[in-house]
Amino acid sequence: MIICKTPREIAIMREAGRIVALTHQELKKHVQPGITTKELDVIAEKFIREHDAIPSFKGYNGFRGSICASVNEELVHGIPGSRKLKDGDIISIDIGAKYNGYHGDSAWTYSVGNIDEETQKLLEVTEQSLYKGLEQAKPGDRLSNISHAIQTFVEAHNFSIVREYVGHGVGQDLHEDPQIPHYGPPNKGPRLRPGMVLAVEPMVNAGSRYVKTLADDWTVVTVDGKMCAHFEHTIAITETGYEILTTL
């Protein structure tokens, strides 16, 4: 069941999203060679709690971190730990914050020091694909128009869309209906309605689209070991289009 939010609920979620965006802004200052993913996690948890919110991911289905920190070939759900970032790495940081009972959710992939040209292109295309999808977030249009726009853009640049993981609704639960694939034909699925709140989050591989989960039962990596990127915003469907909630 897709839950449409009231203006009051969206106002709360706007603040949750702002806290997520502020946390990204804070962490970006610290994404440098030598820092560990655990140190980033500690900074994020402290920052979120100082803003009267709680980390959405901590304890979620047993997850141990406050953020997901996924490096290089790690796509999503990386557990913060002792891994030190080094020059030339990329790191996808997924942040959720629960404020007054509602979640905000956003992921971004950051470069560490100097990255090569192909990896820079991967980041740019993945970020651009998110906004290409959001251009289709219009009341009355079908959900899969978002999916199709993302896939078309990514594949036109010779990258691969991951199919095993999807976007989702957001609200009092971190993951709500509907599921939002980032691939597929247009004009399918439910019609978008004002009050829907959606997390759109293309995940893109430099090589093949295939991924696997490591023995820790969380960390998802590319099967071929190539780089991957992940960008995500939480949006609310409005009367005329959409509003990004996870922004400043």
Side-chain angles (χ1 to χ4, degrees), residues 50-143:
E50 285 175 349
H51 286 77
D52 299 319
I54 61 175
S56 299
F57 303 157
K58 190 154 193 178
Y60 185 80
N61 291 335
F63 189 75
R64 300 194 299 273
S66 293
I67 60 172
C68 297
S70 308
V71 181
N72 294 342
E73 77 286 353
E74 297 172 351
L75 178 71
V76 288
H77 306 159
I79 303 170
S82 60
R83 184 171 184 170
K84 285 187 178 181
L85 300 184
K86 62 182 188 300
D87 188 71
D89 285 346
I90 57 175
I91 179 170
S92 297
I93 300 177
D94 197 350
I95 300 173
K98 188 176 185 180
Y99 175 79
N100 280 4
Y102 291 83
H103 296 274
D105 187 8
S106 173
W108 223 250
T109 303
Y110 299 99
S111 57
V112 183
N114 300 298
I115 61 175
D116 63 50
E117 187 176 327
E118 179 68 7
T119 304
Q120 182 62 44
K121 182 183 175 186
L122 171 68
L123 267 58
E124 290 173 357
V125 168
T126 307
E127 181 179 358
Q128 289 167 10
S129 78
L130 170 60
Y131 293 105
K132 289 292 184 182
L134 295 186
E135 287 175 6
Q136 305 302 315
K138 305 168 188 172
D141 281 10
R142 297 283 188 183
L143 181 68

